[in-house]
Every structure is written in structure tokens, then in C-alpha cells.
Amino acid sequence: MPLRPHPGLQIDGFTLGEKLHQGGFATIWEVTHPLHPGPMVMKVPVILDGYDGPTIVGFEVEQMIMPRLAGPHVPRVIAEGDFAVLPYIVTERLPGDSMLRLFGQAPLPLSDVIEVAARMAQAVHELHRQHVIHLDLKPENFLQRDTGEMVLVDYGLSRHADLPDLLAEEFTIPMGTFPYIAPEQYLRCRDDLRSDIFALGAMIYELATGRPPFGRPEKLKAVRRRLWRDPVPPRALNPEIPEWLQEIILRALEVLPQRRYQSAAQMVFDLTHPLQVKLTARAHRLQADGRMDVMRRWWAMRGVSSFGPPPELRAQVDHAPILMVAVDLSPQMEAIAGQLRRAVQRMLVLEPDARVACVNVIKTARIGLDVTTDDQGNNLHVARLVGLRAWAGGLDLPEERLTFTVLEGADPGAVLIDHADKIPVSHILMGARGHSSARQYLGSVSSQVVARARCSVTVIRAPRSPAAESPGETPQEVLDRAAALIQGEFREA
Amino acid sequence: MRLAVLTDIHGNREAFAAVLADLEGREIDRIALLGDIVGYGPDPGWCCDRAMVLVAGGALAVQGNHDAAISAMDPAMNANARKALDWTRPQLSEAQRQFLAGLPLSADLGDLRLVHASANAPGDWIYVTSEQRAMPSFRVCEARVILCGHVHVPALMSCDRAGQVRQQRILQASPVPLIRSRRWLAVVGSVGQPRDGVPQAGYAIWDDARNELCFRRVPYDTAATAAKVRAAGLPETLALRLLRGE
């Protein structure tokens, strides 16, 4: 490599400024470019003299993967350098420190743990949606935007489902960061997105207790212990940790991937719906397993070299979806509510690991205060929740796979879309009222959701009933009805 | 520039036409034909004519072993290939024969080298079927990207700065960035006689602005071509091969 980076070096229009970070595999430099406004950083691999395999391949992997990523949870790539002159990647510079500083203050107050954990899991889910497993999740690889999104950096060990895996055939030693590496990753598996779930679990454990679940092993051999040795339950270290959070953490840290959360989205979902987390024996544990149990597991794991091939990565991403069902409980929608339930039942046959989020929207006026208590003094929220539960009763699903949420807003479509993004939902099911010309002109809630939601949307329509049709309307009649609809006086026939 | 790379058409009109139709709407700027326009298949004349029109319109074409064997039989060929060539020769006009005989063994385009078989000895018709067999191509040819055919099974090899050759997994219709720290050799799948178990026409698209290569498959009417193979009295295995893609 003829060029060595140094402050003031000019390359491809970039001028190097201060060195921001010196790592084992790369240096990070502040850079400027007359054509690219805004703060940027340049990452340059530290390539030792001669052939430095691991660093080069790791950098090649980043060069393959990073330009394909999009969205707020990944750094935007601005330029790449020619390997023959100076290999580098220039990305936008993110403000502030990595999560490492925050982790230094762990244990954090519970509300912070939950909030940070949910944002970390959300970023991981967004990466998985792009068919990428990070495989080196650790506090220093999470940065933040001013707007709150976590940003994942360092893709040198990552795996893209649609690209050749340059690392797989190159090295036989497991790669990752010892405190957070998943057992199957130790066994050299690079195809399981649930490895990232394990790392998330280890990080949330550390945020909540102040120490990583498996200590900080320095030797690779010590990493193998996590195949049989369970971590001390978080509540044994910090009794303030609620059972539901321990349930989430220990589920993510299960040794066998199939016993963990099957997607980061489901983890986000539980972190944001604590009251609906189904508690198992994991939640109540107050000490690590006894010697006999551990011995038994050690015996079972001796000689194990793989947990078997995981499902194909793209299938894993689509697997374990969260279905959001927008249920309209109004009298004229009763027929559709039944149809909607049957549609959900059919989907559950195909997606046995799906979870169902039942949602109802209370429409409020755009201006002014709303009365969410009716004349009899019944709280409308409670009434709607009861209605949702009754609707879902017919689904015959266990509690832990259902959640119920009543939302409020002046614009039901927008409320549904926001909620779907937040959860994050993979598929929305909703009903649509009959065809009417007024709706065609004004747009319906379902058409708004179909147009703007980021996920798939299935719209269930009631069978046509001739009485509901209003044929032969003149444009004026349509406009009049539209005006009536705006004023809220319109009733569906 | 987006370059569509077609190879081993082998007189299969239906497959060739299906690939050309698939190029519509994919913003292709240029076409390269990596040889074996004829041989095995029942429509050598039509395929030759189409290739000649494409070349007249700016397409690049190199010669394959079957194209070369039209004027000079290759004794190393198997019996079915020889039978098919004996059947093919009288089907071709003098102009078509001259076109095939006049094709070069290799062509360069930017940092691409286009050949039918290996890049180290294109006229020796060596099959690049493994990392080992790809090594001489990388050693002799200095091009950053070598595109070839001849094998009828798509493959992608990389050669890193230490000279290590690695075969990479291919995903259909998923563009692979051919990162510049390595050199690359791609064996493009056959249009007219795929042998990887998928009875669909294979080809590839090279995008030099994005530095990406995309392997693609296109379904075509295999039954129609197989019926023509039988009607022409060509060996039955050549018909079965199309139906099974083996």
C-alpha cells in the first residue's frame, strides 16, 4: 500500500483532518470534501506489511455490504477508495459517542434500560429486514442520531444473505466479540439472525445489571462455556429488575437459537408491551442452575459442533411476523369484523409463529376536547378494549401471542400507520367499507394505509350487497355526499 | 454501461428469443456473445442470423468450440456433439459459416476479458470447473474481470491479492459487487443448454457503473425445442437434456 493516512493527506478530493479513533483493524479520520457538505468520517483499514488476510477480507465485506444498506439505522456511504491506492470508506459522521459510554454507567435506571434496549433492537430489526446479520453487535457499534435512531456501524464480520460470504471460507476460527458472541457463532455458524438476538440479550443484561452475562472472557476456549453454563439471572443481581424484563433477557440468551426470540421485531414488541409479556420459569429464576443441571448440559454439549443449519436467512426474516389487525367495532362493520377474524385465522395456519396485535382507533375531533367517557360514565377506552378482546376470543390464540391496543387520533389512517411502524409490524390486515363514489373521491382509511404503510397490507372487503350501492349518482350528488361526509353527518346505507 | 452476456446458445431459438425478450426494459446498452452459437440445437441458422444482426448492431462475439468445429472438426468432441455438428453444417449458409469461422477467440471491453473457455488458452477449450482450473486464467490474463462460458453451469470465482482463488456462491437475480480488491472470473450459464438442473435459459448482466454482475435465468418453452430436436432426428439425449436442464 503506497499511501499511509495522515492529517492533511488529500485523496480523491477528501482532506484528512484529525484522527478520531485508532483501532486494531482500522483508523477513523475526520474528512472534508468541497463537494460533500456536512461532517464525514473516513475509515481506513490498518493493513500490516505483507498479506494481512483478516483485515483485508473484513474490509472487503464492508465494501460489499455497506453501499447496499439504506435507512436511518445505518451510516450513509459517501465514497470508497481504490484498494490499490488507499482502501477507505467515507460515511456521514454521526454525532456523539457510541453506546460504550452509556454502558460504562450501567446498571442504568430501569426506564432507560427499556428505552435504550427497544431502540437497539429496532435498529437490528431494520438491518435484518435488509437481509443482513451484523454478527458483531457490541456497545461500541451502536451510535445515535440526534433524532434518536440507533445507527449500527462496523460491518466487517457481517453476513448479507444475497451476497457471497467472503469470510466463511476464509477463516476457520469463530469471529465476534467474546462477551456478546452467540453459541452457534462460536460453532462457526454465520447464517443465523438469531445470533444477533443473543448479542442483544447480552447487552440488555449488561445495561440492567452492570456486567455482561458471561463475563469478559479473553480466551476463545472460555467462550465455549456458554453452551452449557447459564448466566446468573439478572434479578439475582438487581432485584429491582422486573420479572418481565428478566423473561425477555433470558429468552434472548437461550443457548439453542430456536428457543430465543425468532426476530428482533418480536423483542421490540415485548420491550414496548411489558404487561403483555408471557412469563415462564425464566422470569422467576433467582439463581443460576445447580451443579447437576450444568453437568448434564455439559455432557450433552460435549463434542457438539453445530446446532444444525438454520432456516434460509431470507425465510428467517419473513418468519415470525407480527400481524396488526385494525378492528373496527362499529355496528355497520360487524360483518367485516367476522370476515377479518377468519382471514387472520387462515394466516395463522401458514405462519404458526406469528403474533397478532389487535388495534382499534378512537377517532377524535381535530380541534377541541374530546369526551372519552360516555353518558353512563363508561370509559370508552375500556369499552373498546373489551370489544377487541371479545373479537379476538374467536381466534383461539394463547394470551402471549395477542396484544390489544386502543389508539386515539383525528386521522385514523395516520394513527394506524404510525403504530405499525413503531411495533414494528410486518403485515396489516383491515376491513374496508363498501364501494361508494364519495369514498373514491375522498379516500378511505384503508386506502390511506395501503398507500402509506411500509409493510404489506391486506384489505378485507364485505361481500357486495345491492342495497349498499348507490348507482347513477351525478357528480354533484357525489360532491354533496362528500361534503356531508366531511361534516360527519353521513351514514353508510 | 450495462452489458448482457449470453453464451452457449447452441441453436436453441426459443431460449435465445426468451433471453432477448428478457433484456427489454433492463436498460441494456450492449450485448456480448461468448460463443457456441450453434451445435446441439435444431435452429442453428436462425440463431446465426440473429447473432449476425446483433454483431452488426454493435454486439461483441467470440468463437466457441462448436462454432470453430463447423469448418474444422474437433476430434476431441463426444459422439453426440459430432452427430449434431454433422447435422448442423448443411443447415448453414456460406455467409453463416464464414461468420462463425471469422469470430475471434477473445475480446476486451474496458477491464473485461471475454472468452468462450479458459482465458489462459482460449483455443484449447479448457473447462473452468473449479478453483484449481480457474487459477491459470488468473495467472495468464491480467484483466480484472474474465467472463467465459463453455461449462454450461454458472460459477463465480475470485482471486485475492495473495493469488488465492475462491469459488463464490451464486444467487440468481441478485447482483454481486465484484469488489476491486480482487480479480474475478465468471462462468456464465448457458442460454440454450443449461446443465445445472434448472431447465431455464441462463445469462448475465454486467453493470460497470455499479461494478455488479447479476446471473439471471429465463424460462422458455423447452417442450417446443425438444420436439424440434426429435423432429430433426438429432440424438434423443439432446432433447431430454433440455427438458431436465442436465
Side-chain angles (χ1 to χ4, degrees), chain A residues 267-397:
Chain A
M267 221 167 150
V268 176
F269 191 71
D270 274 5
L271 285 163
T272 50
H273 297 78
L275 296 178
Q276 299 184 39
V277 174
K278 157 102 170 164
L279 302 183
T280 68
R282 284 189 286 253
H284 310 303
R285 247 178 250 162
L286 283 174
Q287 54 186 22
D289 289 333
R291 181 175 292 198
M292 285 308 289
D293 284 328
V294 174
M295 281 289 283
R296 201 156 25 91
R297 285 201 297 262
W298 170 78
W299 184 253
M301 285 292 177
R302 116 206 91 89
V304 165
S305 61
S306 158
F307 298 150
E312 208 261 329
L313 181 58
R314 280 171 294 185
Q316 281 189 64
V317 173
D318 301 332
H319 179 72
I322 297 173
L323 311 177
M324 181 174 108
V325 192
V327 189
D328 188 335
L329 296 163
S330 57
Q332 58 270 49
M333 293 294 277
E334 260 172 22
I336 292 188
Q339 245 182 299
L340 197 53
R341 185 167 49 231
R342 287 188 292 281
V344 174
Q345 280 168 324
R346 281 196 297 276
M347 284 190 100
L348 289 172
V349 173
L350 298 172
E351 299 282 3
D353 290 313
R355 299 176 64 157
V356 181
C358 309
V359 177
N360 177 269
V361 184
I362 298 176
K363 189 176 176 186
T364 56
R366 279 176 203 281
I367 303 160
L369 292 170
D370 266 293
V371 185
T372 50
T373 312
D374 68 12
D375 294 344
Q376 279 78 44
N378 291 321
N379 185 305
L380 195 50
H381 258 104
V382 175
R384 292 284 178 92
L385 266 180
V386 171
L388 272 182
R389 283 188 179 275
W391 176 86
L395 287 177
D396 214 17
L397 266 188

Side-chain angles (χ1 to χ4, degrees), chain A residues 51 57 60 63-64 68 83-84 159 161-166 169-170 314, chain B residues 160-162 164 166 168-169 171 174-177 179-182 184 212:
Chain A
Y51 184 72
V57 178
E60 288 178 318
Q63 279 200 317
M64 271 191 156
R68 301 195 153 211
F83 231 90
R159 173 87 175 88
D162 306 341
L163 295 178
D165 186 11
L166 301 181
E169 72 269 3
E170 207 75 32
R314 280 171 294 185
Chain B
D160 67 21
R161 295 162 79 79
Q164 179 89 268
R166 293 281 187 199
Q168 307 292 347
R169 200 170 55 111
L171 268 161
S174 182
V176 182
I179 45 173
R180 294 177 191 278
S181 49
R182 299 187 180 196
W184 299 82
E212 284 176 347

Side-chain angles (χ1 to χ4, degrees), chain B:
Chain B
M1 183 211 42
R2 281 169 62 80
L3 177 77
V5 187
L6 284 63
T7 186
D8 299 277
I9 293 159
H10 282 298
N12 186 334
R13 173 178 178 165
E14 288 70 28
F16 194 8
V19 169
L20 293 175
D22 192 64
L23 300 183
E24 297 292 324
R26 298 196 191 280
E27 291 162 2
I28 300 300
D29 304 302
R30 207 162 180 194
I31 291 176
L33 305 172
L34 303 189
D36 279 2
I37 295 161
V38 300
Y40 297 129
D43 280 311
W46 189 90
C47 292
C48 257
D49 283 346
R50 205 74 194 85
M52 287 160 81
V53 169
L54 291 174
V55 168
L60 288 164
V62 297
Q63 192 181 50
N65 52 324
H66 288 251
D67 306 327
I70 291 296
S71 42
M73 184 50 97
D74 177 356
M77 273 190 176
N78 68 54
N80 281 336
R82 278 206 304 272
K83 267 186 215 160
L85 279 167
D86 289 341
W87 177 89
T88 301
R89 260 180 226 109
Q91 309 283 323
L92 298 174
S93 68
E94 185 52 33
Q96 289 166 336
R97 279 198 290 269
Q98 277 182 13
F99 167 72
L100 295 175
L103 292 172
L105 282 174
S106 73
D108 286 339
L109 181 64
D111 47 7
L112 302 181
R113 166 71 51 87
L114 310 172
V115 281
H116 178 65
S118 79
N120 51 306
D124 289 354
W125 316 121
I126 297 161
Y127 290 89
V128 182
T129 48
S130 64
E131 292 170 353
Q132 193 72 29
R133 280 165 172 257
M135 224 170 270
S137 287
F138 284 117
R139 284 205 186 124
V140 173
C141 170
E142 287 180 351
R144 190 174 73 83
V145 178
I146 300 165
L147 299 174
C148 68
H150 194 43
V151 184
H152 295 217
V153 176
L156 181 63
M157 314 274 180
S158 72
C159 178
D160 67 21
R161 295 162 79 79
Q164 179 89 268
V165 177
R166 293 281 187 199
Q167 180 151 6
Q168 307 292 347
R169 200 170 55 111
I170 293 176
L171 268 161
Q172 297 306 330
S174 182
V176 182
L178 303 190
I179 45 173
R180 294 177 191 278
S181 49
R182 299 187 180 196
R183 295 193 300 135
W184 299 82
L185 182 152
V187 183
V188 177
S190 165
V191 171
Q193 198 198 65
R195 295 179 192 164
D196 58 351
V198 181
Q200 297 184 348
Y203 78 100
I205 297 174
W206 164 248
D207 187 322
D208 77 343
R210 298 179 61 89
N211 191 31
E212 284 176 347
L213 183 70
C214 182
F215 290 85
R216 295 188 56 83
R217 296 313 276 267
V218 185
Y220 73 95
D221 191 348
T222 51
T225 316
K228 284 188 190 173
V229 168
R230 287 168 180 148
L234 288 161
E236 172 64 13
T237 50
L238 297 180
L240 289 176
R241 204 160 207 190
L242 297 179
L243 298 171
R244 296 179 186 150
E246 292 170 349

Side-chain angles (χ1 to χ4, degrees), chain A residues 357-493:
Chain A
C358 309
V359 177
N360 177 269
V361 184
I362 298 176
K363 189 176 176 186
T364 56
R366 279 176 203 281
I367 303 160
L369 292 170
D370 266 293
V371 185
T372 50
T373 312
D374 68 12
D375 294 344
Q376 279 78 44
N378 291 321
N379 185 305
L380 195 50
H381 258 104
V382 175
R384 292 284 178 92
L385 266 180
V386 171
L388 272 182
R389 283 188 179 275
W391 176 86
L395 287 177
D396 214 17
L397 266 188
E399 275 286 302
E400 72 268 19
R401 290 178 54 198
L402 280 166
T403 54
F404 305 97
T405 312
V406 175
L407 304 163
E408 251 180 59
D411 181 349
V415 169
L416 288 171
I417 292 162
D418 282 356
H419 190 67
D421 257 359
K422 216 180 292 165
I423 282 184
V425 160
S426 36
H427 198 139
I428 300 174
L429 285 96
M430 64 190 302
R433 300 180 188 222
H435 303 269
S436 80
S437 345
R439 284 192 184 283
Q440 272 176 25
Y441 287 87
L442 286 176
S444 61
V445 175
S446 60
S447 63
Q448 186 188 350
V449 173
V450 167
R452 287 189 37 219
R454 290 205 303 146
C455 61
S456 305
V457 182
T458 299
V459 177
I460 307 292
R461 208 180 268 290
R464 272 172 174 242
S465 87
E469 305 268 322
S470 44
E473 280 188 310
T474 64
Q476 187 56 51
E477 281 168 336
V478 171
L479 284 175
D480 290 346
R481 290 208 309 134
L485 195 64
I486 291 167
Q487 287 159 21
E489 295 163 6
F490 180 76
R491 298 244 191 306
E492 288 271 292

